[in-house]
């Protein structure tokens, strides 16, 4: 048996990457310590780890970015090493040095390697020296406007102004017109200063049909470095990756040899140890050519999209990280690493594509990836850090999960991912599932005609959402009616929501979608059949057995329709009763008995005052005044009222210029 590299590690991260590290550590019999903030007190990674420790308030700056607290916690727990995951402190050389100064091991590269690749201008100068191709451009220290504008003219428009620090698409501006260079530079500098505390920039040739292809590299502490082939991450929105795949579509043996050789040279140039990614910008206008790619930057950590590499190579990259950090040599030589099949990953986010992809926060009232379905692809993989009942908070990245498919070819991957997305059901927050499914079947994407502008070119089409059809609306009505549990019995008590003593009683259902109100009655037909009467000329009969594709959650029902979903609000009849009083009357939200009258005609009442107690469905409901006013009429105690009956009428007391309104 191979000796385990550590007995205990602390994971200085959260969400799905923390869970990902925990799974490999558990398989290797390594104990794990999770850290958490106030917002993550009950998070999945906290539940999954062997131990968990509180490190501070919800803002990342006071918890996951508080390196001193994390190191203190690691020492107190008896952990030997710290795994940073990605983001947060993963590429902070000062944190690496502090970890090592505390007598702990940082599971990642050295501080020197991180610094060497931390600034884009210095990194590109280093790569040029190592013989790695770089994009034609200016990477110097001088930052005067006149100099930069002159360099831009020499390079040739269009050019790209880029912040030398940071990433994630911040501090980047394309400029096509020399007259607009100064304004674009000023804007780029402001954003770079605000995001990274550094407003220095570099200027590069803009590649007209750019593809983003990166190579996974791995080094150890004995001077060895290998590649694990490439990933294509060209499908991006605002420089953020949306779909990643391996291998890159259209990759030739000649191009792969040149690109992977350059990536290994880059890793060796900085004595790199651990997992890293060399990112290249590729000119895709003439196909993939061995002289048409250039170094862009290096990510000195594990990447979010690492699962696609794991699927096509069979390598557990986290295990390699742990072994290399513990002083072991790379587990495989270059010739032993093979590329097999195709893999593709999509990132499911809590966001609203039709509203500018704004994040959507809230409780995941329903979360099901469909993995129990016999039709779910056996090669599929879900990396997530949340489950039903968890919360998407405003403090961190709103990613819900990464869905990964593996097949013998790209076409099979697309088919599998569409199936996985269609079986994923999430209610409580908005998601980008429909957007992802639309992108996968987009004509350009399916044909592998991809570049970093593919989403923007097709955005209007990709964010379209179908309106619910009659089947979806009837499904929502049935779900909200309470008659959603199939029964083989014909006993009317099994359908109590639709039972009447001498005649059929329909359950009134009112739903709201946007500004549209839907109203219908559901009648039990015996067995598992329900008749929906919606005011149309033809009623609809539905089998309960066919109506399981929905989720009920507080005040809502969500109906799932392939990769799309339709949310309906279930109006609170008692809240609505208050709204109904916004005029001169207050009506009964449902049939019931006026059990108690707490006010009388002539009484002046304040907003919120209890007026009546209505007994309905064996429960008492207090009807309150929706506004200040004087009661003109009120229903007497003991009165049986029907839905919509006037319970309270108010006097018209509005005055203008001392005169009563008419």
């Amino acid at each position: 048996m191979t000796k385990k590299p550590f007995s205990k590690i602390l994971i200085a991260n959260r969400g799905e990457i923390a869970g990902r590290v925990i799974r490999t550590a558990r398989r290797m019999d390594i104990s794990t310590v999770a850290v958490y903030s106030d917002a993550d007190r009950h998070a999945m990674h906290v539940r999954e780890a062997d131990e968990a420790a509180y490190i501070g308030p919800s803002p990342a700056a006071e918890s996951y970015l508080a390196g001193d607290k994390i190191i203190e916690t690691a020492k107190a727990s008896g952990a030997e090493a710290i795994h940073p995951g990605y983001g947060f402190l993963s590429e902070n050389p000062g944190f690496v040095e502090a970890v090592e100064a505390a007598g702990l091991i940082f599971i990642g590269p050295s501080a020197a390697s991180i610094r060497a690749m931390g600034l884009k201008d210095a990194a590109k100068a280093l790569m040029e020296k190592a013989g790695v191709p770089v994009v034609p451009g200016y990477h110097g220290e001088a930052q005067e406007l006149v100099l930069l504008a002159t360099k831009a003219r020499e390079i040739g428009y269009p050019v790209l102004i880029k912040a030398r620090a940071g990433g994630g698409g911040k501090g980047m501006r394309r400029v096509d017109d020399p007259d607009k260079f100064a304004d674009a530079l000023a804007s780029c500098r402001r954003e770079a200063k605000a995001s990274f505390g550094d407003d220095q920039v570099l200027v590069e040739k803009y590649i007209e049909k750019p593809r983003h292809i990166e190579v996974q590299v791995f080094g150890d502490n004995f001077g060895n470095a290998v590649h694990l082939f490439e990933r294509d991450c060209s499908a991006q929105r605002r420089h953020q990756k949306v779909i990643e795949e391996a291998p890159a579509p259209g990759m030739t043996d000649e191009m792969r040899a040149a690109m992977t050789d350059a990536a290994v040279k880059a890793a060796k140039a900085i004595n790199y140890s651990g997992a890293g990614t060399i990112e290249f910008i590729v000119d895709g206008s003439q196909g993939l050519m061995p002289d048409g790619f250039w170094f862009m930057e290096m990510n000195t950590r594990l990447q979010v999209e690492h699962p696609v590499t794991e699927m096509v190579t069979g390598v557990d990259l986290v295990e390699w990280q742990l072994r290399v950090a513990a002083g072991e040599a790379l587990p495989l030589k270059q010739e032993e690493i093979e590329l097999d099949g195709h893999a593709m990953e999509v990132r499911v986010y809590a966001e609203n594509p039709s509203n500018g992809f704004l994040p959507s926060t809230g409780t995941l009232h329903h979360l099901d990836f469909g993995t129990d379905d016999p039709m779910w692809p056996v090669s599929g993989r879900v990396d997530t850090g949340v489950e039903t009942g968890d919360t998407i908070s405003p403090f961190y990245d709103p990613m819900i999960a990464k869905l990964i498919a593996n097949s013998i070819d790209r076409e099979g991957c697309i088919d599998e991912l569409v199936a996985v997305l269609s079986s994923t059901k999430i209610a409580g927050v908005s998601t980008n599932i429909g957007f992802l499914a639309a992108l996968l079947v987009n004509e350009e994407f399916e044909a592998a005609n991809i570049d970093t502008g593919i989403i923007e070119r097709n955005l209007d089409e990709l964010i379209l959402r179908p309106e619910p059809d009659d089947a979806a609306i009837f499904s929502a009505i049935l779900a909200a009616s309470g008659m959603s549990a199939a029964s083989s019995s014909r006993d009317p008590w099994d359908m109590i929501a639709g039972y009447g003593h001498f005649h059929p009683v329909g359950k009134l259902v009112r739903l709201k979608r946007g500004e549209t109100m839907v109203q219908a009655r559901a009648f039990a037909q015996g067995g598992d059949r329900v008749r929906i009467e919606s005011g149309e000329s033809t009623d609809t009969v539905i089998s309960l057995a066919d109506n399981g594709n929905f989720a009920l959650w507080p005040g809502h029902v969500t109906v799932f329709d392939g990769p799309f979903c339709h949310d309906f609000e279930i109006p609170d009849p008692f809240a609505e009763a208050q709204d109904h009083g916004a005029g001169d009357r207050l009506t009964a939200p449902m049939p019931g008995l006026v059990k108690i009258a707490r006010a009388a005609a002539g009484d002046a009442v304040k907003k919120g005052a209890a007026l009546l107690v209505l007994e309905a469905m064996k429960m008492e409901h207090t009807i309150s005044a929706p506004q200040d006013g004087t009661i003109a009429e009120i229903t007497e105690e003991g009165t049986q009222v029907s839905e919509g009956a006037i319970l309270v009428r108010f006097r018209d007391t509005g005055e203008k210029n001392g005169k009563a309104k008419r």
Side-chain angles (χ1 to χ4, degrees):
M1 178 184 286
T2 306
K3 180 179 179 292
K4 62 182 180 182
F6 300 107
S7 295
K8 182 187 287 189
I9 63 170
L10 179 139
I11 303 163
N13 217 295
R14 62 176 301 279
E16 53 84 25
I17 184 56
R20 166 72 189 87
V21 175
I22 289 169
R23 286 194 296 277
T24 289
R26 184 182 297 124
R27 180 175 59 77
M28 297 175 70
D29 194 30
I30 299 172
S31 295
T32 54
V33 182
V35 293
Y36 63 89
S37 66
D38 285 329
D40 282 340
R41 191 174 293 276
H42 304 293
M44 181 185 282
H45 74 280
V46 174
R47 299 191 296 270
E48 289 184 339
D50 297 299
E51 302 173 31
Y54 173 73
I55 53 169
S58 299
E62 300 176 55
S63 49
Y64 297 106
L65 288 172
D68 53 345
K69 290 183 185 177
I70 288 171
I71 292 170
E72 252 179 65
T73 301
K75 291 178 69 176
S77 71
E80 303 147 86
I82 295 177
H83 194 301
Y86 38 68
F88 294 139
L89 295 166
S90 61
E91 294 181 284
N92 185 319
F95 178 67
V96 177
E97 290 167 339
V99 168
E100 293 171 347
L104 302 169
I105 294 172
F106 179 77
I107 301 172
S110 67
S113 292
I114 295 174
R115 283 198 175 94
M117 290 298 188
L119 296 177
K120 293 183 180 71
D121 53 354
K124 290 188 177 184
L126 182 61
M127 291 300 99
E128 279 186 298
K129 188 176 179 181
V132 178
V134 300
V135 179
Y138 172 74
H139 310 132
E141 287 294 322
Q143 295 284 299
E144 292 80 11
L145 170 60
V146 173
L147 173 68
L148 294 175
T150 300
K151 293 294 182 184
R153 286 183 183 276
E154 291 173 0
I155 294 164
Y157 284 89
V159 297
L160 189 66
I161 306 173
K162 297 171 67 175
R164 71 170 185 172
K170 294 184 175 66
M172 294 177 67
R173 298 290 186 276
R174 171 182 171 165
V175 189
D176 296 274
D177 184 346
D179 292 339
K180 296 180 180 178
F181 184 85
D183 287 343
L185 174 64
S187 175
C188 186
R189 279 176 165 163
R190 285 193 300 270
E191 188 171 276
K193 184 69 173 178
S195 299
F196 316 119
D198 183 340
D199 66 356
Q200 286 200 240
V201 302
L202 46 87
V203 182
E204 294 180 343
K205 177 67 179 172
Y206 182 82
I207 309 302
E208 291 285 359
K209 190 175 171 59
R211 285 179 64 177
H212 180 146
I213 300 178
E214 59 191 30
V215 176
Q216 176 73 60
V217 294
F218 224 107
D220 62 21
N221 295 309
F222 302 96
N224 303 308
V226 298
H227 71 81
L228 291 95
F229 303 100
E230 81 281 352
R231 298 184 288 256
D232 193 303
C233 307
S234 300
Q236 300 180 3
R237 182 184 61 78
R238 298 174 188 166
H239 305 289
Q240 295 284 345
K241 300 168 188 174
V242 175
I243 298 179
E244 302 99 352
E245 57 184 304
M251 180 61 70
T252 64
D253 290 342
E254 187 181 15
M255 169 81 161
R256 178 174 289 130
M259 183 176 278
T260 55
D261 179 65
V264 172
K265 280 182 181 176
K268 287 186 173 181
I270 57 171
N271 299 313
Y272 195 76
S273 176
T277 303
I278 309 297
E279 301 196 357
F280 295 101
I281 191 76
V282 178
D283 182 354
S285 60
Q286 303 296 321
L288 299 184
M289 308 289 288
D291 60 350
F293 70 92
W294 302 273
F295 174 84
M296 186 163 55
E297 63 184 357
M298 181 178 189
N299 287 295
T300 52
R301 53 174 168 79
L302 198 65
Q303 289 280 88
V304 176
E305 58 271 22
H306 76 272
V308 296
T309 294
E310 294 184 323
M311 286 191 139
V312 295
T313 61
V315 170
D316 184 331
L317 294 176
V318 173
E319 178 178 348
W320 277 32
Q321 283 187 299
L322 295 170
R323 295 198 178 284
V324 165
E328 297 182 25
L330 290 174
L332 295 176
K333 296 178 180 177
Q334 186 65 69
E335 60 270 21
E336 296 174 311
I337 304 170
E338 297 182 351
L339 178 64
D340 183 24
H342 202 96
M344 193 175 288
E345 172 185 292
V346 295
R347 306 184 189 189
V348 176
Y349 278 96
E351 63 184 13
N352 189 343
S354 60
N355 190 24
F357 294 88
L358 287 177
S360 175
T361 59
T363 301
L364 295 166
H365 290 286
H366 184 86
L367 177 61
D368 180 7
F369 296 107
T371 51
D372 293 333
D373 189 325
M375 299 301 291
W376 208 81
V378 292
S379 64
R381 169 173 162 181
V382 177
D383 281 15
T384 185
V386 291
E387 58 189 8
T388 297
D390 286 347
T391 299
I392 302 297
S393 82
F395 297 103
Y396 315 115
D397 185 271
M399 187 162 67
I400 295 173
K402 299 182 305 193
L403 305 181
I404 310 105
N406 186 205
S407 187
I408 58 173
D409 56 25
R410 188 172 189 267
E411 183 181 3
C413 270
I414 291 174
D415 290 343
E416 287 199 2
L417 266 186
V418 171
V420 169
L421 286 166
S422 296
S423 66
T424 298
K425 299 174 174 59
I426 301 174
V429 297
S430 298
T431 75
N432 65 337
I433 290 176
F435 163 78
L436 293 171
L439 178 55
L440 286 167
V441 299
N442 172 267
E443 187 176 339
E444 283 189 81
F445 187 85
E446 285 193 308
N449 181 26
I450 51 176
D451 59 70
T452 57
I454 186 172
I455 290 177
E456 293 305 317
R457 285 195 303 274
N458 296 279
L459 188 59
D460 290 344
E461 169 195 327
L462 297 176
I463 63 175
L464 283 177
R465 294 184 57 187
E467 287 298 311
D469 58 15
D470 287 347
I473 293 171
F474 291 145
S475 183
I477 290 168
L478 189 53
S481 75
M483 301 183 195
S484 53
S487 169
S488 60
S489 170
R490 292 186 176 276
D491 187 333
W493 292 102
D494 288 341
M495 286 285 196
I496 192 65
Y499 170 72
H501 194 55
F502 295 111
H503 57 279
V505 175
K507 172 67 182 294
L508 179 68
V509 177
R510 301 177 73 238
L511 297 173
K512 191 175 181 183
R513 179 171 167 79
E515 297 302 314
T516 303
M517 188 68 74
V518 177
Q519 182 167 302
R521 288 187 183 273
F523 295 84
Q525 298 290 286
D528 70 345
R529 300 177 74 74
V530 175
R531 177 168 56 89
I532 304 295
E533 183 182 286
S534 60
E536 303 295 330
S537 56
T538 304
D539 296 346
T540 302
V541 176
I542 300 177
S543 168
L544 293 174
D546 298 331
N547 194 54
N549 207 26
F550 67 87
L552 276 168
W553 48 290
H556 298 79
V557 59
T558 297
V559 177
F560 302 106
D561 181 12
F564 297 96
C565 66
H566 309 292
D567 290 329
F568 297 85
E569 182 183 347
I570 305 174
D572 181 345
F574 300 101
E576 281 200 325
Q578 317 310 312
D579 295 338
H580 293 168
D584 66 345
R585 65 188 64 189
L586 201 160
T587 58
M590 63 177 63
L593 173 72
V594 177
K595 192 168 185 180
I596 301 173
R598 298 192 182 278
D603 287 354
V605 295
K606 294 289 187 183
K607 181 179 179 179
L611 304 181
L612 296 167
V613 175
L614 184 69
E615 185 180 72
M617 298 176 68
K618 300 183 180 179
M619 295 179 65
E620 291 185 353
H621 307 277
T622 299
I623 306 297
S624 302
Q627 59 195 27
D628 294 354
T630 301
I631 295 175
E633 299 174 21
I634 187 166
T635 305
E636 295 181 356
E637 291 181 5
T639 303
Q640 185 75 39
V641 296
S642 59
E643 179 184 336
I646 297 174
L647 296 176
V648 180
R649 194 186 301 276
F650 296 92
R651 289 181 184 167
D652 185 355
T653 56
E655 295 183 357
K656 185 175 182 180
N657 297 326
K659 296 181 180 179
K661 290 197 296 184
R662 296 184 182 275

